[in-house]
Amino acid sequence: MEGKIVFREQKRVGKGVWVCKSMGSTSSRERSIDTSEDFEQDNVVTHSRSHEVVATRDNTMNQQGKSFARKSSRISDGTSIDSIADQHLFTEFEDIISDDIIEYYSQVTIKDSNLTSASYMQLERERVKDILQRYIVVPSISSGNRRTLIDCGCGNGHYGAWLGRRYPTLDIIMLDPVRKCVELAEALVLENNLENQARVVLGSATTLPRISNSVDYILMDGPLYHISTRNGRRTALVEAYRVLCKGGILFAVGMSRYAFTLAALFGDLMNDDEQICSLFEELESGQHTNSSNDPGAFTSAFVHRPSQLQQELTDVGFEILSTLAVEGPVWLLHDLKEFWNDPRKKALLFQIIRRIETEPSLLGSSAHFLIVARRPYSSN
């Protein structure tokens, strides 16, 4: 993307960052991009094919996962010691994370960043949490039972720490490929006294450190819009399907195809002909790039139409339970900060968003949308 898209408070419409390390027949160095919503047949995973891929990995992952489960969850000297085959993971994914992504998230995840206090960021976070708590059910402390959740693309650990505080019987694995994010998440775990409940891992969404059928919930906020190829996203989704228990829930966050165009339009940034041309190309291809290397602009991302991400999920075998707008059109309000700081107006905003969150004709106006998907109880 040429130029910088800034809307009011230097609008940021993305969070965690992930890279593609494909498995099976797909090269880990693949860099081709999707150019339309209609993909070639050989790029579309079928339900049966997804299970073939899972089957080829099960024996290895079962053994590695047992080792992983016995390891400590702490991080020392800025590196993870809580992932399966640590050195294997590091060498496989570190060298294919682009420098602009590393740099972007190393900067914006700093705890005292203005981005963490911006009203639009707070809106996104509060809405994601609002949706998560509708579906997450955990046993009582007295029962002695526990549930497990993986936070893929955990960033600075905000969601993972919140989940740990809210659900004492929920074990949490926070995972991110950016070392700075991992360091910040680990600090947040310590700050909230969650060492016995949460672990932080430097790793990739395409190689989850769990055995098959062992996780109850997965939050993917970042992987599905920072993996640029459909094959790469398929790999991450197949991996999520593999580790989820039957009936397990995936919270899949997508970024809207129209987010950057709307941000530019409402932010009075449509005077740059080169930027307008880039926006038009983005609307067609779904590929957002920061080609100008502007440190204030968002980094590389694939922006979905809601129906595209729904199709990617069902192709792998997931059942769609609900598709919800995260911010709705509310994020475009010029006086959002004023609304956010007024308790009565803030409550009104949430009521409005909840009433329109599932309206198909408005999903694309939200910067993000969240699809709640389930691994079928009848799956193999």
Side-chain angles (χ1 to χ4, degrees), residues 12-20 31 101 104-105 221-229 233 253 255 288 298-304:
R12 174 184 174 224
V13 292
K15 183 180 147 297
V17 48
W18 283 78
V19 297
C20 169
R31 277 291 177 227
I101 291 178
Y104 181 82
Y105 283 101
D221 191 350
L224 299 177
Y225 50 81
H226 280 306
I227 297 177
S228 64
T229 68
R233 293 190 298 275
V253 179
M255 186 178 294
H288 171 77
F298 191 60
T299 189
S300 305
F302 181 80
V303 285
H304 281 90

PDB file of all heavy atoms in Angstrom, residues 12-20 31 101 104-105 221-229 233 253 255 288 298-304:
ATOM      1  N   ARG A  12      -5.288   1.385  13.733  1.00  0.00           N
ATOM      2  CA  ARG A  12      -4.661   0.088  13.538  1.00  0.00           C
ATOM      3  C   ARG A  12      -5.767  -0.948  13.486  1.00  0.00           C
ATOM      4  O   ARG A  12      -6.559  -1.051  14.405  1.00  0.00           O
ATOM      5  CB  ARG A  12      -3.740  -0.214  14.713  1.00  0.00           C
ATOM      6  CG  ARG A  12      -3.148  -1.625  14.683  1.00  0.00           C
ATOM      7  CD  ARG A  12      -2.323  -1.852  15.940  1.00  0.00           C
ATOM      8  NE  ARG A  12      -1.874  -3.231  15.971  1.00  0.00           N
ATOM      9  CZ  ARG A  12      -1.910  -3.985  17.058  1.00  0.00           C
ATOM     10  NH1 ARG A  12      -2.390  -3.507  18.169  1.00  0.00           N
ATOM     11  NH2 ARG A  12      -1.485  -5.218  17.015  1.00  0.00           N
ATOM     12  N   VAL A  13      -5.841  -1.696  12.409  1.00  0.00           N
ATOM     13  CA  VAL A  13      -6.935  -2.648  12.259  1.00  0.00           C
ATOM     14  C   VAL A  13      -6.428  -4.084  12.266  1.00  0.00           C
ATOM     15  O   VAL A  13      -7.000  -4.951  11.652  1.00  0.00           O
ATOM     16  CB  VAL A  13      -7.738  -2.380  10.970  1.00  0.00           C
ATOM     17  CG1 VAL A  13      -8.483  -1.087  11.088  1.00  0.00           C
ATOM     18  CG2 VAL A  13      -6.834  -2.367   9.749  1.00  0.00           C
ATOM     19  N   GLY A  14      -5.360  -4.332  12.992  1.00  0.00           N
ATOM     20  CA  GLY A  14      -4.876  -5.698  13.074  1.00  0.00           C
ATOM     21  C   GLY A  14      -4.160  -5.969  14.369  1.00  0.00           C
ATOM     22  O   GLY A  14      -3.808  -5.055  15.092  1.00  0.00           O
ATOM     23  N   LYS A  15      -3.938  -7.257  14.659  1.00  0.00           N
ATOM     24  CA  LYS A  15      -3.285  -7.635  15.892  1.00  0.00           C
ATOM     25  C   LYS A  15      -2.185  -8.627  15.597  1.00  0.00           C
ATOM     26  O   LYS A  15      -1.273  -8.339  14.868  1.00  0.00           O
ATOM     27  CB  LYS A  15      -4.322  -8.170  16.877  1.00  0.00           C
ATOM     28  CG  LYS A  15      -3.762  -8.522  18.235  1.00  0.00           C
ATOM     29  CD  LYS A  15      -4.879  -9.032  19.115  1.00  0.00           C
ATOM     30  CE  LYS A  15      -4.398 -10.067  20.079  1.00  0.00           C
ATOM     31  NZ  LYS A  15      -3.883 -11.258  19.501  1.00  0.00           N
ATOM     32  N   GLY A  16      -2.303  -9.856  16.129  1.00  0.00           N
ATOM     33  CA  GLY A  16      -1.233 -10.831  16.046  1.00  0.00           C
ATOM     34  C   GLY A  16      -0.715 -11.065  14.647  1.00  0.00           C
ATOM     35  O   GLY A  16      -1.356 -10.752  13.666  1.00  0.00           O
ATOM     36  N   VAL A  17       0.475 -11.629  14.545  1.00  0.00           N
ATOM     37  CA  VAL A  17       1.076 -11.837  13.234  1.00  0.00           C
ATOM     38  C   VAL A  17       1.547 -13.275  13.121  1.00  0.00           C
ATOM     39  O   VAL A  17       2.112 -13.822  14.041  1.00  0.00           O
ATOM     40  CB  VAL A  17       2.254 -10.879  13.024  1.00  0.00           C
ATOM     41  CG1 VAL A  17       3.180 -10.874  14.190  1.00  0.00           C
ATOM     42  CG2 VAL A  17       3.011 -11.225  11.773  1.00  0.00           C
ATOM     43  N   TRP A  18       1.293 -13.878  11.959  1.00  0.00           N
ATOM     44  CA  TRP A  18       1.701 -15.254  11.735  1.00  0.00           C
ATOM     45  C   TRP A  18       2.314 -15.411  10.352  1.00  0.00           C
ATOM     46  O   TRP A  18       2.137 -14.570   9.496  1.00  0.00           O
ATOM     47  CB  TRP A  18       0.499 -16.190  11.877  1.00  0.00           C
ATOM     48  CG  TRP A  18       0.190 -16.386  13.302  1.00  0.00           C
ATOM     49  CD1 TRP A  18      -0.470 -15.523  14.127  1.00  0.00           C
ATOM     50  CD2 TRP A  18       0.582 -17.479  14.117  1.00  0.00           C
ATOM     51  NE1 TRP A  18      -0.526 -16.025  15.385  1.00  0.00           N
ATOM     52  CE2 TRP A  18       0.105 -17.216  15.413  1.00  0.00           C
ATOM     53  CE3 TRP A  18       1.272 -18.654  13.873  1.00  0.00           C
ATOM     54  CZ2 TRP A  18       0.302 -18.095  16.467  1.00  0.00           C
ATOM     55  CZ3 TRP A  18       1.458 -19.525  14.926  1.00  0.00           C
ATOM     56  CH2 TRP A  18       0.984 -19.246  16.203  1.00  0.00           C
ATOM     57  N   VAL A  19       3.041 -16.501  10.213  1.00  0.00           N
ATOM     58  CA  VAL A  19       3.679 -16.776   8.932  1.00  0.00           C
ATOM     59  C   VAL A  19       3.259 -18.150   8.454  1.00  0.00           C
ATOM     60  O   VAL A  19       2.790 -18.977   9.221  1.00  0.00           O
ATOM     61  CB  VAL A  19       5.217 -16.733   9.041  1.00  0.00           C
ATOM     62  CG1 VAL A  19       5.672 -15.345   9.431  1.00  0.00           C
ATOM     63  CG2 VAL A  19       5.707 -17.761  10.041  1.00  0.00           C
ATOM     64  N   CYS A  20       3.458 -18.377   7.166  1.00  0.00           N
ATOM     65  CA  CYS A  20       3.077 -19.664   6.586  1.00  0.00           C
ATOM     66  C   CYS A  20       4.260 -20.615   6.571  1.00  0.00           C
ATOM     67  O   CYS A  20       5.288 -20.318   5.973  1.00  0.00           O
ATOM     68  CB  CYS A  20       2.568 -19.451   5.163  1.00  0.00           C
ATOM     69  SG  CYS A  20       2.358 -20.970   4.232  1.00  0.00           S
ATOM     70  N   ARG A  31       5.326 -18.249  -1.726  1.00  0.00           N
ATOM     71  CA  ARG A  31       5.077 -16.832  -1.591  1.00  0.00           C
ATOM     72  C   ARG A  31       4.020 -16.327  -2.572  1.00  0.00           C
ATOM     73  O   ARG A  31       3.808 -15.136  -2.697  1.00  0.00           O
ATOM     74  CB  ARG A  31       6.374 -16.035  -1.801  1.00  0.00           C
ATOM     75  CG  ARG A  31       7.214 -15.966  -0.539  1.00  0.00           C
ATOM     76  CD  ARG A  31       6.521 -15.116   0.485  1.00  0.00           C
ATOM     77  NE  ARG A  31       7.271 -15.099   1.723  1.00  0.00           N
ATOM     78  CZ  ARG A  31       6.735 -15.285   2.903  1.00  0.00           C
ATOM     79  NH1 ARG A  31       5.457 -15.539   3.017  1.00  0.00           N
ATOM     80  NH2 ARG A  31       7.479 -15.211   3.995  1.00  0.00           N
ATOM     81  N   ILE A 101       7.095  -7.239   9.220  1.00  0.00           N
ATOM     82  CA  ILE A 101       6.180  -7.760  10.238  1.00  0.00           C
ATOM     83  C   ILE A 101       6.866  -7.786  11.596  1.00  0.00           C
ATOM     84  O   ILE A 101       6.292  -7.361  12.600  1.00  0.00           O
ATOM     85  CB  ILE A 101       5.680  -9.166   9.843  1.00  0.00           C
ATOM     86  CG1 ILE A 101       4.749  -9.069   8.630  1.00  0.00           C
ATOM     87  CG2 ILE A 101       4.964  -9.835  10.997  1.00  0.00           C
ATOM     88  CD1 ILE A 101       4.240 -10.396   8.124  1.00  0.00           C
ATOM     89  N   TYR A 104       7.145  -4.181  12.765  1.00  0.00           N
ATOM     90  CA  TYR A 104       5.861  -3.584  13.117  1.00  0.00           C
ATOM     91  C   TYR A 104       5.398  -4.036  14.495  1.00  0.00           C
ATOM     92  O   TYR A 104       5.062  -3.228  15.354  1.00  0.00           O
ATOM     93  CB  TYR A 104       4.807  -3.959  12.064  1.00  0.00           C
ATOM     94  CG  TYR A 104       3.448  -3.357  12.349  1.00  0.00           C
ATOM     95  CD1 TYR A 104       3.158  -2.052  11.988  1.00  0.00           C
ATOM     96  CD2 TYR A 104       2.469  -4.093  12.999  1.00  0.00           C
ATOM     97  CE1 TYR A 104       1.920  -1.486  12.260  1.00  0.00           C
ATOM     98  CE2 TYR A 104       1.228  -3.544  13.277  1.00  0.00           C
ATOM     99  CZ  TYR A 104       0.963  -2.240  12.905  1.00  0.00           C
ATOM    100  OH  TYR A 104      -0.261  -1.693  13.193  1.00  0.00           O
ATOM    101  N   TYR A 105       5.403  -5.350  14.718  1.00  0.00           N
ATOM    102  CA  TYR A 105       4.894  -5.846  15.992  1.00  0.00           C
ATOM    103  C   TYR A 105       5.870  -5.657  17.141  1.00  0.00           C
ATOM    104  O   TYR A 105       5.460  -5.643  18.301  1.00  0.00           O
ATOM    105  CB  TYR A 105       4.448  -7.296  15.850  1.00  0.00           C
ATOM    106  CG  TYR A 105       3.112  -7.373  15.159  1.00  0.00           C
ATOM    107  CD1 TYR A 105       3.011  -7.692  13.811  1.00  0.00           C
ATOM    108  CD2 TYR A 105       1.944  -7.048  15.835  1.00  0.00           C
ATOM    109  CE1 TYR A 105       1.790  -7.707  13.168  1.00  0.00           C
ATOM    110  CE2 TYR A 105       0.721  -7.055  15.199  1.00  0.00           C
ATOM    111  CZ  TYR A 105       0.650  -7.384  13.868  1.00  0.00           C
ATOM    112  OH  TYR A 105      -0.573  -7.375  13.237  1.00  0.00           O
ATOM    113  N   ASP A 221      -6.533 -14.880  16.349  1.00  0.00           N
ATOM    114  CA  ASP A 221      -6.672 -13.459  16.027  1.00  0.00           C
ATOM    115  C   ASP A 221      -5.335 -12.983  15.490  1.00  0.00           C
ATOM    116  O   ASP A 221      -4.453 -12.584  16.252  1.00  0.00           O
ATOM    117  CB  ASP A 221      -7.081 -12.666  17.267  1.00  0.00           C
ATOM    118  CG  ASP A 221      -7.493 -11.242  16.930  1.00  0.00           C
ATOM    119  OD1 ASP A 221      -7.276 -10.821  15.779  1.00  0.00           O
ATOM    120  OD2 ASP A 221      -8.020 -10.538  17.813  1.00  0.00           O
ATOM    121  N   GLY A 222      -5.169 -13.062  14.191  1.00  0.00           N
ATOM    122  CA  GLY A 222      -3.909 -12.688  13.554  1.00  0.00           C
ATOM    123  C   GLY A 222      -3.479 -13.632  12.462  1.00  0.00           C
ATOM    124  O   GLY A 222      -3.209 -13.211  11.338  1.00  0.00           O
ATOM    125  N   PRO A 223      -3.425 -14.966  12.738  1.00  0.00           N
ATOM    126  CA  PRO A 223      -2.935 -15.891  11.721  1.00  0.00           C
ATOM    127  C   PRO A 223      -3.691 -15.830  10.407  1.00  0.00           C
ATOM    128  O   PRO A 223      -3.086 -15.897   9.334  1.00  0.00           O
ATOM    129  CB  PRO A 223      -3.119 -17.257  12.391  1.00  0.00           C
ATOM    130  CG  PRO A 223      -3.041 -16.973  13.840  1.00  0.00           C
ATOM    131  CD  PRO A 223      -3.669 -15.629  14.041  1.00  0.00           C
ATOM    132  N   LEU A 224      -4.996 -15.694  10.449  1.00  0.00           N
ATOM    133  CA  LEU A 224      -5.798 -15.818   9.237  1.00  0.00           C
ATOM    134  C   LEU A 224      -5.793 -14.570   8.371  1.00  0.00           C
ATOM    135  O   LEU A 224      -6.313 -14.581   7.260  1.00  0.00           O
ATOM    136  CB  LEU A 224      -7.231 -16.226   9.593  1.00  0.00           C
ATOM    137  CG  LEU A 224      -7.316 -17.579  10.302  1.00  0.00           C
ATOM    138  CD1 LEU A 224      -8.745 -17.897  10.701  1.00  0.00           C
ATOM    139  CD2 LEU A 224      -6.743 -18.694   9.426  1.00  0.00           C
ATOM    140  N   TYR A 225      -5.210 -13.467   8.866  1.00  0.00           N
ATOM    141  CA  TYR A 225      -5.033 -12.323   7.974  1.00  0.00           C
ATOM    142  C   TYR A 225      -3.567 -11.969   7.757  1.00  0.00           C
ATOM    143  O   TYR A 225      -3.252 -11.118   6.936  1.00  0.00           O
ATOM    144  CB  TYR A 225      -5.843 -11.092   8.409  1.00  0.00           C
ATOM    145  CG  TYR A 225      -5.724 -10.636   9.844  1.00  0.00           C
ATOM    146  CD1 TYR A 225      -4.662  -9.857  10.280  1.00  0.00           C
ATOM    147  CD2 TYR A 225      -6.723 -10.937  10.755  1.00  0.00           C
ATOM    148  CE1 TYR A 225      -4.593  -9.404  11.577  1.00  0.00           C
ATOM    149  CE2 TYR A 225      -6.667 -10.473  12.057  1.00  0.00           C
ATOM    150  CZ  TYR A 225      -5.597  -9.716  12.477  1.00  0.00           C
ATOM    151  OH  TYR A 225      -5.532  -9.269  13.779  1.00  0.00           O
ATOM    152  N   HIS A 226      -2.647 -12.633   8.463  1.00  0.00           N
ATOM    153  CA  HIS A 226      -1.235 -12.388   8.183  1.00  0.00           C
ATOM    154  C   HIS A 226      -0.601 -13.514   7.379  1.00  0.00           C
ATOM    155  O   HIS A 226       0.563 -13.413   6.998  1.00  0.00           O
ATOM    156  CB  HIS A 226      -0.461 -12.136   9.469  1.00  0.00           C
ATOM    157  CG  HIS A 226      -0.624 -10.739   9.965  1.00  0.00           C
ATOM    158  ND1 HIS A 226      -0.357  -9.642   9.190  1.00  0.00           N
ATOM    159  CD2 HIS A 226      -1.057 -10.255  11.157  1.00  0.00           C
ATOM    160  CE1 HIS A 226      -0.606  -8.539   9.876  1.00  0.00           C
ATOM    161  NE2 HIS A 226      -1.041  -8.886  11.056  1.00  0.00           N
ATOM    162  N   ILE A 227      -1.306 -14.572   7.122  1.00  0.00           N
ATOM    163  CA  ILE A 227      -0.844 -15.601   6.184  1.00  0.00           C
ATOM    164  C   ILE A 227      -1.436 -15.238   4.832  1.00  0.00           C
ATOM    165  O   ILE A 227      -2.653 -15.256   4.653  1.00  0.00           O
ATOM    166  CB  ILE A 227      -1.282 -17.000   6.626  1.00  0.00           C
ATOM    167  CG1 ILE A 227      -0.654 -17.352   7.980  1.00  0.00           C
ATOM    168  CG2 ILE A 227      -0.888 -18.033   5.576  1.00  0.00           C
ATOM    169  CD1 ILE A 227      -1.087 -18.694   8.527  1.00  0.00           C
ATOM    170  N   SER A 228      -0.598 -14.925   3.876  1.00  0.00           N
ATOM    171  CA  SER A 228      -1.067 -14.326   2.629  1.00  0.00           C
ATOM    172  C   SER A 228      -1.646 -15.323   1.631  1.00  0.00           C
ATOM    173  O   SER A 228      -2.431 -14.953   0.775  1.00  0.00           O
ATOM    174  CB  SER A 228       0.068 -13.544   1.950  1.00  0.00           C
ATOM    175  OG  SER A 228       1.117 -14.423   1.574  1.00  0.00           O
ATOM    176  N   THR A 229      -1.268 -16.614   1.737  1.00  0.00           N
ATOM    177  CA  THR A 229      -1.740 -17.591   0.758  1.00  0.00           C
ATOM    178  C   THR A 229      -2.866 -18.447   1.325  1.00  0.00           C
ATOM    179  O   THR A 229      -2.911 -18.732   2.526  1.00  0.00           O
ATOM    180  CB  THR A 229      -0.607 -18.531   0.307  1.00  0.00           C
ATOM    181  OG1 THR A 229      -0.230 -19.359   1.423  1.00  0.00           O
ATOM    182  CG2 THR A 229       0.596 -17.740  -0.180  1.00  0.00           C
ATOM    183  N   ARG A 233      -3.083 -20.570   4.910  1.00  0.00           N
ATOM    184  CA  ARG A 233      -4.188 -20.481   5.871  1.00  0.00           C
ATOM    185  C   ARG A 233      -4.841 -21.855   6.060  1.00  0.00           C
ATOM    186  O   ARG A 233      -5.249 -22.216   7.162  1.00  0.00           O
ATOM    187  CB  ARG A 233      -5.216 -19.456   5.404  1.00  0.00           C
ATOM    188  CG  ARG A 233      -4.680 -18.034   5.405  1.00  0.00           C
ATOM    189  CD  ARG A 233      -5.779 -17.007   5.163  1.00  0.00           C
ATOM    190  NE  ARG A 233      -6.433 -17.142   3.861  1.00  0.00           N
ATOM    191  CZ  ARG A 233      -5.993 -16.604   2.735  1.00  0.00           C
ATOM    192  NH1 ARG A 233      -4.870 -15.892   2.732  1.00  0.00           N
ATOM    193  NH2 ARG A 233      -6.654 -16.763   1.593  1.00  0.00           N
ATOM    194  N   VAL A 253     -10.722 -15.000  13.637  1.00  0.00           N
ATOM    195  CA  VAL A 253     -10.876 -13.565  13.385  1.00  0.00           C
ATOM    196  C   VAL A 253     -10.334 -13.227  12.011  1.00  0.00           C
ATOM    197  O   VAL A 253      -9.190 -13.562  11.674  1.00  0.00           O
ATOM    198  CB  VAL A 253     -10.156 -12.733  14.454  1.00  0.00           C
ATOM    199  CG1 VAL A 253     -10.308 -11.235  14.162  1.00  0.00           C
ATOM    200  CG2 VAL A 253     -10.715 -13.051  15.839  1.00  0.00           C
ATOM    201  N   MET A 255      -9.983 -10.056   8.895  1.00  0.00           N
ATOM    202  CA  MET A 255      -9.993  -8.615   8.659  1.00  0.00           C
ATOM    203  C   MET A 255     -10.797  -8.346   7.391  1.00  0.00           C
ATOM    204  O   MET A 255     -10.658  -9.045   6.393  1.00  0.00           O
ATOM    205  CB  MET A 255      -8.560  -8.096   8.496  1.00  0.00           C
ATOM    206  CG  MET A 255      -8.462  -6.585   8.395  1.00  0.00           C
ATOM    207  SD  MET A 255      -6.741  -6.028   8.259  1.00  0.00           S
ATOM    208  CE  MET A 255      -6.142  -6.503   9.869  1.00  0.00           C
ATOM    209  N   HIS A 288      -3.134  -6.657   1.229  1.00  0.00           N
ATOM    210  CA  HIS A 288      -2.737  -5.341   1.727  1.00  0.00           C
ATOM    211  C   HIS A 288      -1.243  -5.366   2.020  1.00  0.00           C
ATOM    212  O   HIS A 288      -0.740  -6.284   2.675  1.00  0.00           O
ATOM    213  CB  HIS A 288      -3.493  -4.979   3.001  1.00  0.00           C
ATOM    214  CG  HIS A 288      -2.974  -3.735   3.658  1.00  0.00           C
ATOM    215  ND1 HIS A 288      -3.272  -2.474   3.183  1.00  0.00           N
ATOM    216  CD2 HIS A 288      -2.143  -3.556   4.719  1.00  0.00           C
ATOM    217  CE1 HIS A 288      -2.666  -1.566   3.946  1.00  0.00           C
ATOM    218  NE2 HIS A 288      -1.971  -2.204   4.876  1.00  0.00           N
ATOM    219  N   PHE A 298      -0.103   0.130   8.546  1.00  0.00           N
ATOM    220  CA  PHE A 298      -0.237  -1.265   8.939  1.00  0.00           C
ATOM    221  C   PHE A 298       0.613  -2.153   8.043  1.00  0.00           C
ATOM    222  O   PHE A 298       0.878  -1.832   6.889  1.00  0.00           O
ATOM    223  CB  PHE A 298      -1.706  -1.676   8.864  1.00  0.00           C
ATOM    224  CG  PHE A 298      -1.995  -3.009   9.494  1.00  0.00           C
ATOM    225  CD1 PHE A 298      -1.745  -3.238  10.832  1.00  0.00           C
ATOM    226  CD2 PHE A 298      -2.524  -4.039   8.736  1.00  0.00           C
ATOM    227  CE1 PHE A 298      -2.007  -4.463  11.415  1.00  0.00           C
ATOM    228  CE2 PHE A 298      -2.798  -5.278   9.306  1.00  0.00           C
ATOM    229  CZ  PHE A 298      -2.544  -5.486  10.647  1.00  0.00           C
ATOM    230  N   THR A 299       1.012  -3.274   8.577  1.00  0.00           N
ATOM    231  CA  THR A 299       1.893  -4.188   7.853  1.00  0.00           C
ATOM    232  C   THR A 299       1.097  -5.110   6.925  1.00  0.00           C
ATOM    233  O   THR A 299      -0.115  -4.966   6.762  1.00  0.00           O
ATOM    234  CB  THR A 299       2.734  -5.012   8.856  1.00  0.00           C
ATOM    235  OG1 THR A 299       3.731  -5.740   8.157  1.00  0.00           O
ATOM    236  CG2 THR A 299       1.856  -5.957   9.647  1.00  0.00           C
ATOM    237  N   SER A 300       1.757  -6.079   6.318  1.00  0.00           N
ATOM    238  CA  SER A 300       1.142  -6.962   5.327  1.00  0.00           C
ATOM    239  C   SER A 300      -0.028  -7.749   5.908  1.00  0.00           C
ATOM    240  O   SER A 300       0.026  -8.224   7.043  1.00  0.00           O
ATOM    241  CB  SER A 300       2.176  -7.942   4.785  1.00  0.00           C
ATOM    242  OG  SER A 300       3.294  -7.258   4.262  1.00  0.00           O
ATOM    243  N   ALA A 301      -1.094  -7.892   5.111  1.00  0.00           N
ATOM    244  CA  ALA A 301      -2.267  -8.642   5.575  1.00  0.00           C
ATOM    245  C   ALA A 301      -3.097  -9.102   4.382  1.00  0.00           C
ATOM    246  O   ALA A 301      -3.080  -8.470   3.324  1.00  0.00           O
ATOM    247  CB  ALA A 301      -3.119  -7.779   6.502  1.00  0.00           C
ATOM    248  N   PHE A 302      -3.811 -10.204   4.576  1.00  0.00           N
ATOM    249  CA  PHE A 302      -4.822 -10.614   3.605  1.00  0.00           C
ATOM    250  C   PHE A 302      -6.177 -10.256   4.183  1.00  0.00           C
ATOM    251  O   PHE A 302      -6.512 -10.667   5.297  1.00  0.00           O
ATOM    252  CB  PHE A 302      -4.762 -12.110   3.317  1.00  0.00           C
ATOM    253  CG  PHE A 302      -5.782 -12.542   2.289  1.00  0.00           C
ATOM    254  CD1 PHE A 302      -5.526 -12.349   0.937  1.00  0.00           C
ATOM    255  CD2 PHE A 302      -6.992 -13.098   2.665  1.00  0.00           C
ATOM    256  CE1 PHE A 302      -6.461 -12.719  -0.022  1.00  0.00           C
ATOM    257  CE2 PHE A 302      -7.932 -13.465   1.722  1.00  0.00           C
ATOM    258  CZ  PHE A 302      -7.666 -13.271   0.375  1.00  0.00           C
ATOM    259  N   VAL A 303      -6.964  -9.475   3.434  1.00  0.00           N
ATOM    260  CA  VAL A 303      -8.262  -9.009   3.925  1.00  0.00           C
ATOM    261  C   VAL A 303      -9.371  -9.798   3.232  1.00  0.00           C
ATOM    262  O   VAL A 303      -9.492  -9.785   2.012  1.00  0.00           O
ATOM    263  CB  VAL A 303      -8.420  -7.484   3.716  1.00  0.00           C
ATOM    264  CG1 VAL A 303      -7.590  -6.727   4.744  1.00  0.00           C
ATOM    265  CG2 VAL A 303      -7.987  -7.052   2.320  1.00  0.00           C
ATOM    266  N   HIS A 304     -10.171 -10.492   4.024  1.00  0.00           N
ATOM    267  CA  HIS A 304     -11.193 -11.401   3.511  1.00  0.00           C
ATOM    268  C   HIS A 304     -12.538 -10.711   3.276  1.00  0.00           C
ATOM    269  O   HIS A 304     -12.885  -9.748   3.958  1.00  0.00           O
ATOM    270  CB  HIS A 304     -11.477 -12.513   4.537  1.00  0.00           C
ATOM    271  CG  HIS A 304     -10.483 -13.606   4.570  1.00  0.00           C
ATOM    272  ND1 HIS A 304      -9.364 -13.573   5.399  1.00  0.00           N
ATOM    273  CD2 HIS A 304     -10.427 -14.806   3.917  1.00  0.00           C
ATOM    274  CE1 HIS A 304      -8.679 -14.695   5.259  1.00  0.00           C
ATOM    275  NE2 HIS A 304      -9.304 -15.465   4.363  1.00  0.00           N
TER     276      HIS A 304
END
